[in-house]
Amino acid sequence: MNKINVADFLKKYTMVIALVLVIIFFTITTNGGLLLPQNVANLIAQNAYVFVLATGMLLPILTGGNIDLSVGSVVCFVGAVGAVAMESWGMNGIVASLIVIALGTLIGAFQAYWIAYVRVPPFIVTLSGMLIFRGLSNIVLDGMTVSLNDETFIKIFGGGANCYIPDLPFFNISGVNVLALIVGALACILYVLLLLKGRVSKIKKGYAVKPLKGEIVKMVVICAVIIFVSIKLSQYKGVPSALVWVLIVVVVYSYITSKTTTGRYFYAVGGNEKATKLSGINTNKIYFIAYTNMGFLSALAALLTIARMSSSQPTYGQNYEMDAIGSCFIGGASAYGGVGTVPGVILGATLMGIINLGMNISGVDANWQKVVKGGVLLLAVIFDVVSKRQKN
């Protein structure tokens, strides 16, 4: 392998290498505590909202480096409405969930209208939304905490210590959740089949494909990670309910952004909006979809949040937007737009989650945790800016 190939490899897999190094570092500093089965499960459950919001945040960022500052406040507000609907109005948890989803989507569409069709800068619209919906959250909750008692709702959206998918009834192996192992194995098989199918399809169409050795190494590494996580989950309580929602979001949006015409439009708008518009694509519609979708996923994140906490408070959702934005940029999304993938975003969110968990286990002061997270975000954006400058 020559120097150019080494440089290209390091550049392409910078975040993967960084993630491995961070895991090794915190595994050593916590005496292996980071990789305990319970901590692996907690990493997924505690960061489910980040995975969901970061996936949604990718779409506005793709359109030109735009962001949504209101997501944390929207999470708090629609979560507050859902909690009050269940506990004060006696509404069924499923019906309340549908109302939360509808309300979040409506809020997203409201903000999307001003951004897409009136062309008010996204920063201004979403900054206003951050203030408006944070205030409305306090009004709805009257500054108080509303506790949730709907066990069905809490279990469906992954809240509490017992919100794990039950093991298969015909297996009874002490200390091992067989379902988690089966899910991990099936995930690996599905991933390999889809990757090979995509490669065969490209070859038939005459498209360029990546070297087979590199693809094999990629498959082995990713499958090893999946199996490792499934083994750890099997040693605790199995598959968290929240993980199911995260997987649905990741699979659906990975497909949308990589396999659909609409998904490609997001990249086109971010690459060159004027050229995209001249080619006949309705760029206003693309902006509208991006921010409406952000409201929809904010509502889902709200359900995951209040279920995990088994309550709703006026302080929920603080800094959620920063976690989502940071995950996108750390995961390889460009600050200029047009570049980024859902797997990359999940990688960035995982890195942020491991840094948080590792520092918590190590007893690092909360203020220093903010310093570290801010530094990681800055380095990621600097890397993107410098890389783009070198290309030009």
Side-chain angles (χ1 to χ4, degrees):
M1 184 179 286
N2 55 44
K3 292 183 178 179
I4 295 178
N5 288 335
V6 171
D8 289 343
F9 177 83
L10 293 176
K11 189 174 181 179
K12 185 175 181 180
Y13 296 105
T14 300
M15 286 304 124
V16 176
I17 295 170
L19 179 61
V20 172
L21 293 175
V22 167
I23 292 174
I24 293 173
F25 173 77
F26 281 117
T27 300
I28 294 172
T29 57
T30 60
N31 295 319
L34 179 72
L35 298 181
L36 289 175
Q38 183 175 355
N39 286 332
V40 173
N42 288 339
L43 176 67
I44 295 170
Q46 292 173 4
N47 291 279
Y49 77 89
V50 182
F51 296 128
V52 172
L53 290 178
T55 301
M57 191 67 72
L58 176 64
L59 301 188
I61 289 176
L62 286 177
T63 61
N66 301 304
I67 56 176
D68 188 337
L69 294 174
S70 68
V71 294
S73 296
V74 174
V75 166
C76 186
F77 173 61
V78 298
V81 171
V84 169
M86 283 184 277
E87 299 305 321
S88 298
W89 304 342
M91 192 173 290
N92 176 273
I94 303 302
V95 176
S97 300
L98 294 175
I99 290 175
V100 167
I101 293 293
L103 180 59
T105 305
L106 185 62
I107 290 172
F110 170 76
Q111 297 190 126
Y113 171 79
W114 301 110
I115 294 168
Y117 296 104
V118 185
R119 289 293 174 158
V120 179
F123 181 87
I124 300 301
V125 173
T126 59
L127 177 62
S128 300
M130 181 175 70
L131 300 173
I132 291 169
F133 296 111
R134 180 63 61 182
L136 288 175
S137 301
N138 278 277
I139 292 172
V140 169
L141 294 173
D142 197 23
M144 306 293 287
T145 298
V146 175
S147 298
L148 299 180
N149 297 303
D150 191 321
E151 292 296 329
T152 301
F153 169 82
I154 292 173
K155 288 182 178 180
I156 289 175
F157 290 100
N162 297 317
C163 295
Y164 290 79
I165 305 300
D167 198 4
L168 298 174
F170 43 83
F171 287 106
N172 188 20
I173 302 176
S174 178
V176 176
N177 185 287
V178 179
L179 178 62
L181 297 176
I182 294 175
V183 169
L186 290 176
C188 286
I189 294 171
L190 181 62
Y191 169 73
V192 171
L193 290 177
L194 289 175
L195 199 65
L196 293 176
K197 180 182 177 183
R199 183 180 179 85
V200 171
S201 177
K202 287 181 180 179
I203 293 174
K204 286 183 178 180
K205 294 177 181 178
Y207 297 156
V209 294
K210 297 177 182 178
L212 182 59
K213 289 183 179 179
E215 292 288 271
I216 292 175
V217 171
K218 180 181 177 181
M219 284 190 291
V220 171
V221 171
I222 291 178
C223 287
V225 171
I226 294 173
I227 294 298
F228 175 80
V229 172
S230 65
I231 289 173
K232 288 296 180 179
L233 292 177
S234 73
Q235 293 172 346
Y236 186 53
K237 295 181 179 180
V239 181
S241 302
L243 179 58
V244 176
W245 292 104
V246 171
L247 290 176
I248 291 172
V249 169
V250 170
V251 170
V252 170
Y253 284 86
S254 292
Y255 178 81
I256 291 173
T257 54
S258 63
K259 301 295 183 181
T260 67
T261 303
T262 301
R264 288 191 286 271
Y265 287 166
F266 290 108
Y267 292 92
V269 171
N272 190 326
E273 184 180 352
K274 289 184 178 179
T276 303
K277 196 169 186 177
L278 289 172
S279 67
I281 297 171
N282 187 341
T283 56
N284 291 345
K285 183 179 179 181
I286 300 304
Y287 280 110
F288 186 83
I289 292 173
Y291 283 92
T292 301
N293 176 75
M294 193 69 255
F296 167 74
L297 289 183
S298 294
L300 177 57
L303 296 175
L304 294 172
T305 299
I306 63 174
R308 184 171 68 86
M309 299 296 189
S310 298
S311 65
S312 179
Q313 292 182 13
T315 57
Y316 285 175
Q318 288 184 347
N319 295 323
Y320 278 20
E321 60 277 353
M322 296 303 141
D323 290 335
I325 295 167
S327 297
C328 288
F329 289 136
I330 291 171
S334 174
Y336 299 101
V339 176
T341 63
V342 172
V345 167
I346 298 304
L347 181 67
T350 303
L351 179 59
M352 292 287 280
I354 289 174
I355 290 174
N356 284 335
L357 181 61
M359 289 192 294
N360 284 333
I361 296 174
S362 301
V364 177
D365 181 76
N367 294 314
W368 280 110
Q369 292 187 29
K370 294 178 181 178
V371 172
V372 172
K373 289 167 66 177
V376 171
L377 174 58
L378 180 60
L379 287 173
V381 175
I382 290 174
F383 179 80
D384 171 54
V385 172
V386 172
S387 299
K388 197 171 187 70
R389 187 177 299 164
Q390 289 176 347
K391 287 182 181 179
N392 297 331

